[in-house]
Amino acid sequence: MNDIVSLDAARRDRQKRPAGASGSGAGSGAGHPAFGRSGGSGSGGSAPSRSGASQPSRAASSAFDGDDDEFDDEPQLSDEERLARVSDTVVRALGRRQLSAGETQALLEAQGASSEEAEELVARYEELGYLNDAALAEALVERMSERDHKSRGAISRELSARKIPSELVTAALEGLDDDHEFSLALDAATKRVSQLSAYDDTTVERRLMGFLTRRGFNSTIVREATRRAMSTRKRFGGPRFR
């Protein structure tokens, strides 16, 4: 039972104890399992008490006896049961979202597993196919490059933040060469420029360069992709806004 419950039991005992009975109450608390000790005058209320203090002792003992029922309602888990409960929680999380081995280890430890227990479970999950960092890295690279139009640098940082080993990140990024990188940047810039038709050229150019820079493309690619995207810009009559 945790310390919060132990403190609550002690508070209830002090509230029920009549005035002048502080000595016998302390003895009862010392023998309660919530405090991690056994024996003492509070065990079953069997220890002799001073004359005139028998009624307070019975009241204190009765208060703890009532709490024993509360503790009995919550059986203690064995290490195996505790770890099985932690594992069930994490396996459900893996069913909702693909995690890296590093993320899974951190989640296991956050749920109460020791580092050694977490390492063993991660190895078991890898054997069962629940975890595959190489496949996860490849899937993330494809999604972030093709759908999100992010550069190699931006993708690399995100994969590292997902606790994927650096060698797997490097291998997954090998397919993104300079030509592919420029193609991603140009495609993103062309789509973006079509959304800025209400602005003047200077504003559109500034916004395009910021847009590509935030996605991690280097300055050479940013300038060339912006130049080409601007050449496709459609100009309409009417006011222009900075």
Side-chain angles (χ1 to χ4, degrees), residues 108-224:
L108 284 164
E109 293 181 16
Q111 292 294 321
S114 68
S115 59
E116 293 80 8
E117 290 170 337
E119 288 175 4
E120 292 178 3
L121 284 173
V122 165
R124 181 60 176 156
Y125 296 157
E126 289 175 331
E127 291 176 3
L128 294 172
Y130 294 157
L131 297 175
N132 187 329
D133 280 359
L136 175 60
E138 291 174 1
L140 290 174
V141 167
E142 181 178 0
R143 188 194 75 194
M144 286 189 279
S145 63
E146 299 301 331
R147 190 190 72 182
D148 301 333
H149 298 97
K150 292 187 176 180
S151 68
R152 284 175 296 188
I155 296 173
S156 177
R157 288 190 293 274
E158 291 200 30
L159 266 58
S160 296
R162 294 287 304 271
K163 299 182 183 296
I164 297 176
S166 59
E167 62 272 17
L168 296 181
V169 174
T170 300
L173 290 171
E174 285 180 352
L176 301 183
D177 56 20
D178 291 341
D179 290 339
H180 184 74
E181 184 102 331
F182 177 75
S183 177
L184 289 175
L186 180 59
D187 186 41
T190 303
K191 290 179 180 178
R192 183 63 173 167
V193 78
S194 66
Q195 301 169 357
L196 300 172
S197 60
Y199 297 90
D200 61 83
D201 287 350
T202 301
T203 301
V204 172
E205 185 175 7
R206 184 179 69 249
R207 292 196 175 197
L208 277 180
M209 295 185 73
F211 172 77
L212 295 174
T213 299
R214 286 192 297 273
R215 277 154 180 74
F217 296 105
N218 64 51
S219 58
T220 301
I221 288 178
V222 168
R223 286 194 298 271
E224 183 60 20

Side-chain angles (χ1 to χ4, degrees), residues 32 46 51 56 84 89 96 113 119 137 179-180 195 242:
H32 195 271
S46 60
S51 176
T89 299
R96 294 189 298 269
E119 288 175 4
D179 290 339
H180 184 74
Q195 301 169 357
R242 291 184 178 274

Side-chain angles (χ1 to χ4, degrees), residues 6 14 20-21 24 41 43 72-73 81 88 97 105 108 110 130 137-138 173 175 180 191 199 206 229 235 239-241:
S6 302
R14 287 197 295 271
S24 61
S41 61
S43 178
D72 291 340
D73 290 341
E81 291 170 327
D88 286 345
R97 181 187 182 219
Q105 166 120 8
L108 284 164
Y130 294 157
E138 291 174 1
L173 290 171
H180 184 74
K191 290 179 180 178
Y199 297 90
R206 184 179 69 249
R235 290 171 172 78
R240 292 285 184 263
F241 303 95

